[in-house]
Amino acid sequence: MSTYSGVANAWFLRFGAARRATLRLVCFPHAGGGASVFRQWADLVPESIEVVGVQYPGRQNRYGEPVIDDMTVLVDEVVAAVNRELAGPVALFGHSMGAVVAFEVARRLRSGAPVTVRRLFASAGPAPSARRSLGVHLRDDDGVVAYLRELGGGGVELLEIPDIRELTLPMVRGDLRLIETYRYAPGEPLTCPVTAIVGDRDHTFTTADARHWVVHTSAGLDVHSLPGGHFYLDDQAERLVPLLVERILSR
């Protein structure tokens, strides 16, 4: 059983001691999500890999801090934290919104950084150059909740409780604003491989959508499908994490 071992700074949560780790798997949550979603993963990786969750402001242990609703600002902050706190090889995993955040962080870490990005895992998130905004962040509260209910995932029913809705929706809306106002700026592709992962019942991100990630890497793309919808990872950790480990160690 892994235990929460504290934070190096507000941006990163680590689970377990990972004293023998030679590579970090740095994980970026979805819109409205927090780093604790990756807690279980520390039990599923070998001792050579440390799981690190990225904690965006405005949730969990950072509740009360302003939500960052601009991609450039968020990436600036994450990259600064990486440069301060991490070193050596890393693999980046991002789910949904987190896939684009991870991609933009990887772009910034290509040269002169203390870390080397070995692989990018893009989960349930369209390629940056293929994203289209649905304008969900502009909807009223009921419209935002309806969208989240359509995506599925754990805890959506709690948004029917007025107090929880009042506390949670501003953070969710800020995250949605961040990803929906993001505009991809063309540039050189990543020099690390990209692995795209889809839920086989996710109508928002299919295997055909996943193949668009190929334009963002010069080192190859592989695409994998696991059972489930947009939040397939909630139920598929015991299949997903070994896949991530296999792809990390295959390099």
Side-chain angles (χ1 to χ4, degrees):
M1 177 70 68
S2 68
T3 57
Y4 169 57
S5 63
V7 295
N9 61 42
W11 285 97
F12 303 125
L13 297 187
R14 290 184 167 94
F15 310 106
R19 295 183 182 89
R20 300 181 181 178
T22 58
L23 179 143
R24 292 184 174 95
L25 175 60
V26 183
C27 303
F28 295 76
H30 58 277
S36 65
V37 71
F38 304 109
R39 182 186 302 270
Q40 177 190 0
W41 291 18
D43 297 328
L44 303 174
V45 297
E47 291 182 343
S48 60
I49 297 176
E50 178 186 29
V51 177
V52 178
V54 177
Q55 190 72 294
Y56 312 134
R59 68 215 67 206
Q60 296 182 354
N61 62 305
R62 302 189 71 180
Y63 183 80
E65 296 183 47
V67 175
I68 296 177
D69 61 4
D70 179 272
M71 181 70 77
T72 300
V73 175
L74 179 63
V75 172
D76 284 346
E77 293 287 345
V78 173
V79 170
V82 168
N83 287 333
R84 288 193 306 267
E85 302 295 334
L86 304 183
V90 300
L92 306 183
F93 174 94
H95 184 74
S96 195
M97 177 188 85
V100 180
V101 181
F103 166 77
E104 289 293 344
V105 169
R107 290 176 102 184
R108 296 275 297 277
L109 295 177
R110 284 187 295 189
S111 61
V115 306
T116 302
V117 180
R118 290 275 186 86
R119 185 175 292 268
L120 172 67
F121 294 99
S123 168
S129 58
R131 291 201 63 89
R132 300 292 182 271
S133 172
L134 299 176
V136 178
H137 73 282
L138 299 173
R139 300 179 188 178
D140 63 15
D141 287 354
D142 288 341
V144 173
V145 172
Y147 171 75
L148 297 177
R149 190 181 298 115
E150 181 183 353
L151 289 181
V156 177
E157 66 280 356
L158 295 176
L159 294 176
E160 301 300 332
I161 301 173
D163 288 348
I164 293 179
R165 178 185 288 215
E166 182 179 355
L167 291 172
T168 304
L169 276 191
M171 176 265 291
V172 174
R173 190 182 298 279
D175 285 356
L176 291 172
R177 184 182 301 112
L178 178 144
I179 191 59
E180 292 191 322
T181 59
Y182 165 79
R183 297 294 179 267
Y184 168 68
E188 292 296 317
L190 299 178
T191 56
C192 68
V194 174
T195 296
I197 307 166
V198 308
D200 63 5
R201 297 191 303 277
D202 184 1
H203 68 278
T204 71
F205 185 64
T206 66
T207 53
D209 298 323
R211 294 188 187 104
H212 288 291
W213 276 95
V214 72
V215 305
H216 295 299
T217 175
S218 62
L221 169 73
D222 56 298
V223 177
H224 302 265
S225 176
L226 290 176
H230 188 69
F231 289 102
Y232 74 90
L233 74 174
D234 289 348
D235 302 314
Q236 295 293 324
E238 292 187 356
R239 296 180 66 172
L240 171 60
V241 176
L243 169 62
L244 305 184
V245 171
E246 187 275 329
R247 300 312 295 149
I248 290 169
L249 298 181
S250 69
R251 181 179 173 86

